[in-house]
Amino acid sequence: MLRIEESGERTLPGARETVPLADVLAELIGRRDEFRRLRHVPKDFVARLKQAGLYRAATPARFGGDPLPPAAFLSQVERISEVDGSTGWVASFGSAQIYLAALPLETQEKIYADGPDVAFAGALFPPQRGEETARGHRLTGRWKFASGCMGADLLGVGMPGDEASGGKPRTAVLRPEQVEIVQEWDVVGMQGTGSFDLVVDGVEVAREWTFVRGGEPTVDEPLYRYPTIAYAAQVLAVVGAGVARAALDHAREVGGGYKGVTGAPKLADRAYYRTEVARSEAALRSARAFFYEATAQTWETVLRGDPATDEQNAELRLASAHLAKTASDVVSGLVEVSGTAPIGTTHPLQRLLGDALVPKQHAFLGPAIYDAAGAVLMGLPPTTPGFR
């Protein structure tokens, strides 16, 4: 069942107002349909997520943030996703300050000048090279998939890697007034993420407002020594876990009452239904256990002051891809044994089916990750670029 219990309200440094996450989840239950109609999470609800601490959870402590251990933040995103996958997806980018930590400290001081609660949304693809100027780059182009851009304080667009970045892509950081948002987003899942296109027309971005994605941080705090790209994959994978949990809770709740129009036994009286619910419960919990175990082990290494190993990074990537796939498989399996009811467009499982599909399809979580992780675990180089 939905977990909206609260273990205690934290007083966050520099906060004007804090609210328990449970209160935000209760409000979300009443607004998630609105967000799907809008196709985005509006700025006023992003403000509520800020009050719950989601957008300072990866802000450096030196700038007034309250950086959480990865497992603590991932658990919060998972809880939100149980209520609404789209909002969980948007909230997951509260982790994006791990990217921003690669900016010069002087730039970060400007970013957090008004407080630590900063929402960043990036549209990184397709990477587009800007015209070099004396100060930096003049950018013109259109980028896709800027999840959460309607409520963002900062926006990023992708640039190709170069020799200076070791081939890793760069991101240019802009203010919302420098960017046009094109609301093109017509999808079967995560309909409320507002993953719209960003258009930039001749905007000059100074070099100190660009960073290498996955580059060395300029902030010396434990969270920024945790594998950056792996964490970016984790925050998306755990959204799928929350969605799958919601589907399982629904399946268990309706199993005792639903009867088909043919007069067949109710779902809970059918052996194949009970079997699928049990199999799915075991699969999801097992994948979550691997996911959080790998997270805890890597975090312990980082806290000791040691760098995460290549094997630990591979396990984080593997656990994330496996969790995303397992979550999608769970929802799909529950739909398959639930009769004709889920074919309706307004049926809860139909929405959850689409939402669970999206994390699995993400480039950070796709089938190629298994091959790359397997290569590293056998002492070989990863087989996909940007694996670490």
Side-chain angles (χ1 to χ4, degrees), residues 3-74:
R3 304 188 302 274
I4 58 173
E5 73 278 1
E6 185 64 27
S7 58
E9 182 177 340
R10 296 175 299 156
T11 301
L12 303 176
R16 297 176 185 146
E17 180 184 4
T18 59
V19 297
L21 181 58
D23 291 357
V24 177
L25 295 182
E27 182 179 340
L28 179 58
I29 290 172
R31 297 192 64 185
R32 56 192 173 189
D33 290 339
E34 171 198 346
F35 299 166
R36 281 194 291 277
R37 288 193 301 271
L38 290 172
R39 295 184 299 150
H40 69 270
V41 178
K43 205 171 186 69
D44 72 293
F45 199 81
V46 171
R48 293 288 282 164
L49 294 171
K50 288 181 178 181
Q51 290 172 346
L54 270 297
Y55 286 96
R56 61 174 57 200
T59 298
R62 66 179 293 161
F63 297 120
D66 185 28
L68 292 179
F73 180 76
L74 292 165

Side-chain angles (χ1 to χ4, degrees), residues 178-322:
Q178 297 175 297
V179 179
E180 177 191 358
I181 296 174
V182 180
Q183 296 189 25
E184 183 175 281
W185 184 240
D186 185 12
V187 290
V188 298
M190 300 292 178
Q191 295 169 339
T193 60
S195 301
F196 301 139
D197 294 3
L198 302 184
V199 175
V200 178
D201 186 9
V203 175
E204 186 178 27
V205 182
R207 287 185 184 84
E208 61 269 23
W209 284 86
T210 68
F211 62 87
V212 176
R213 187 156 56 92
E216 287 296 316
T218 57
V219 177
D220 186 18
E221 295 179 20
L223 182 59
Y224 314 103
R225 296 193 291 269
Y226 190 84
T228 302
I229 304 300
Y231 195 28
Q234 285 190 284
V235 300
L236 302 180
V238 82
V239 174
V243 171
R245 169 49 54 197
L248 268 166
D249 288 348
H250 174 83
R252 294 171 66 172
E253 182 179 349
V254 304
Y258 173 78
K259 289 186 178 181
V261 296
T262 63
K266 62 185 178 182
L267 291 173
D269 290 336
R270 307 176 194 182
Y272 66 81
Y273 188 83
R274 297 192 300 267
T275 299
E276 184 61 28
V277 169
R279 187 203 65 78
S280 296
E281 190 74 49
L284 181 62
R285 290 193 185 190
S286 298
R288 287 184 73 257
F290 176 30
F291 179 83
Y292 282 107
E293 174 191 304
T295 303
Q297 289 177 348
T298 305
W299 184 238
E300 288 172 5
T301 297
V302 168
L303 287 180
R304 288 197 304 267
D306 298 325
T309 66
D310 288 342
E311 182 170 323
Q312 286 176 325
N313 181 74
E315 289 183 352
L316 290 176
R317 298 300 304 269
L318 175 61
S320 299
H322 181 60

